[in-house]
Amino acid sequence: MPSKATIFVTGGAGFIGSAVIRRLLNCTDASIVNVDKMTYASSLHSIPSELSSERYALSRTDICDSPGLRSLFDHYRPQAVMHLAAESHVDRSIDAPSDFIQTNVVGTFTLLQESLRYWRALEPAERDAFRLVHVSTDEVFGTLGADGHFVETSPYAPNSPYSASKAASDHLVRAWYETYELPTLVTNCSNNYGPYQFPEKLIPHMIIRGLADEALPVYGDGQHIRDWLYVEDHAEALIRVFQHGRVGETYNIGGRSERTNLEVVELLCTLLDEARGAETGAHKRLISFVRDRPGHDRRYAIDPSKIERELGWSPQESFEAGIRKTVYWYLNNKPWWEAILRRGYQAQRLG
């Protein structure tokens, strides 16, 4: 990465994007332009110390806005784009799939087109240095049986509107590399968790409901398996891919931490008992089983051997340590998520 590089981070006010921005500002000399249209899941409070940094700028721009993106490229002249802007909640994609097609497919297409226009006008050395890192999900691969792991060559078999929209965006990115030689890289990650995650996702949803002594609804039999990745580990992996990854390649990023949803919720209950006491009874009493959501994939598991071998990355946070940090972060940062609840977010089932 060039010294004093300028990097666009799309979706930088979201959960993973904000972690990437925090890490880039803390661990590199890069200047960051946060390109985010500020949807319901965006929060500038997720990057508190960075808001006053001279190396940070916010542009409230929709990635579907071609003229807006073109203006940003021409003004800031970035050396890289880290593309994290996406609609990401599976349940919402069942209720409102059009939003996912618009942002994840049309938005990625628009970003690719404006990146290509900008890249083609660069000097040869600048073209060689430019990178676009597209951040995707393991859900594009569909569901696994009891054995095996997703690898970079696993066939795509998305089962939800969300995962189908991300699969489409992955294919677009690969096509722009193969057809137009735009220097892109793709990453597919497992389930993220950690500080600043919007309350609709499983772990913060259960923590906040548990703190309110409300029912903890678990889909189906609770035996759906996910591979959990601490968000700070993911941010470090993405920066390694940007700095050292091979153009045109895909890298799977996983935490090697498979757990059933029920195991996750039960561990959260144990940690809440530990942190708050259980005067009114153990939090496990709040667990209830509800009708499964449509198209619910049974198991995801990532094999991260390629990024471990080629780029020297491996997850540093065990699930037990990471989940403990996460629970205590939500306990100690109530103003952050209480502000979201006051804005009208209802912690209820969708889809």
Side-chain angles (χ1 to χ4, degrees):
M1 178 174 63
S3 179
K4 308 294 185 182
T6 296
I7 302 171
F8 284 3
V9 179
T10 71
F15 172 47
I16 302 173
S18 64
V20 169
I21 288 177
R22 292 193 301 269
R23 195 162 193 91
L24 282 169
L25 290 174
N26 290 334
C27 301
T28 75
D29 294 326
S31 294
I32 310 302
V33 180
N34 179 1
V35 182
D36 197 303
K37 72 174 181 178
M38 301 303 296
T39 67
Y40 75 94
S42 302
S43 173
L44 295 180
H45 297 294
S46 300
I47 36 178
S49 62
E50 282 67 36
L51 295 178
S52 60
S53 171
E54 294 180 354
R55 294 163 47 218
Y56 171 84
L58 170 68
S59 175
R60 295 174 186 256
T61 301
D62 187 339
I63 58 170
C64 296
D65 176 8
S66 182
L69 289 176
R70 183 169 300 191
S71 177
L72 289 178
F73 275 107
D74 291 344
H75 177 72
Y76 286 104
R77 313 293 299 173
Q79 283 72 51
V81 176
M82 301 188 73
H83 176 35
L84 296 100
E87 295 285 347
S88 67
H89 189 41
V90 174
D91 288 8
R92 286 182 184 271
S93 80
I94 296 170
D95 284 350
S98 62
D99 295 340
F100 288 71
I101 301 304
Q102 184 66 20
T103 296
N104 298 356
V105 182
V106 176
T108 298
F109 162 75
T110 305
L111 179 66
L112 287 167
Q113 286 290 81
E114 290 305 322
S115 298
L116 180 63
R117 180 203 64 83
Y118 168 75
W119 175 74
R120 281 176 164 171
L122 294 174
E123 294 297 324
E126 294 173 318
R127 282 203 302 273
D128 290 343
F130 185 83
R131 298 289 183 270
L132 187 151
V133 178
H134 171 66
V135 180
S136 189
T137 172
D138 58 0
E139 297 189 38
V140 299
F141 301 124
T143 189
L144 284 167
D147 302 314
H149 295 78
F150 296 132
V151 295
E152 285 77 6
T153 55
S154 293
Y156 276 40
N159 291 316
S160 71
Y162 161 63
S163 58
S165 71
K166 289 299 290 183
S169 68
D170 291 9
H171 292 320
L172 288 172
V173 172
R174 291 190 178 92
W176 261 243
Y177 167 69
E178 293 290 347
T179 302
Y180 305 112
E181 299 183 341
L182 183 68
T184 65
L185 303 98
V186 174
T187 65
N188 296 92
C189 70
S190 58
N191 280 41
N192 279 227
Y193 71 99
Y196 297 109
Q197 189 169 28
F198 192 78
E200 69 189 0
K201 297 302 176 74
L202 175 68
I203 288 174
H205 182 71
M206 293 298 174
I207 294 171
I208 291 170
R209 290 186 67 93
L211 289 172
D213 233 31
E214 296 175 350
L216 306 178
V218 176
Y219 283 143
D221 60 5
Q223 297 306 303
H224 299 82
I225 294 173
R226 298 295 181 262
D227 177 8
W228 292 96
L229 174 65
Y230 194 60
V231 68
E232 300 295 340
D233 280 335
H234 187 198
E236 171 60 23
L238 293 177
I239 293 170
R240 296 258 187 123
V241 170
F242 157 56
Q243 292 179 327
H244 306 295
R246 289 184 288 136
V247 169
E249 292 292 314
T250 294
Y251 294 91
N252 280 357
I253 305 171
R256 295 189 182 274
S257 296
E258 290 183 56
R259 301 289 188 281
T260 68
N261 287 346
L262 183 57
E263 287 175 329
V264 171
V265 176
E266 288 178 339
L267 179 54
L268 291 172
C269 289
T270 299
L271 290 169
L272 288 172
D273 288 347
E274 171 192 295
R276 301 177 67 225
E279 296 86 353
T280 59
H283 285 80
K284 285 183 182 179
R285 82 190 192 285
L286 301 171
I287 295 174
S288 63
F289 295 91
V290 298
R291 183 169 57 88
D292 208 355
R293 75 178 176 212
H296 196 178
D297 292 332
R298 192 64 172 175
R299 175 173 171 258
Y300 302 143
I302 282 273
D303 179 357
S305 296
K306 180 177 177 179
I307 190 172
E308 291 173 345
R309 180 179 64 253
E310 293 191 9
L311 305 184
W313 174 89
S314 62
Q316 299 301 298
E317 202 71 67
S318 71
F319 183 71
E320 286 70 25
I323 201 71
R324 177 180 293 274
K325 285 183 178 180
T326 302
V327 167
Y328 279 90
W329 186 90
Y330 280 89
L331 283 168
N332 295 327
N333 290 272
K334 287 185 178 181
W336 182 84
W337 54 264
E338 286 177 339
I340 293 172
L341 301 184
R342 285 196 300 272
R343 292 204 304 265
Y345 170 71
Q346 300 293 319
Q348 61 188 13
R349 174 177 174 164
L350 302 169

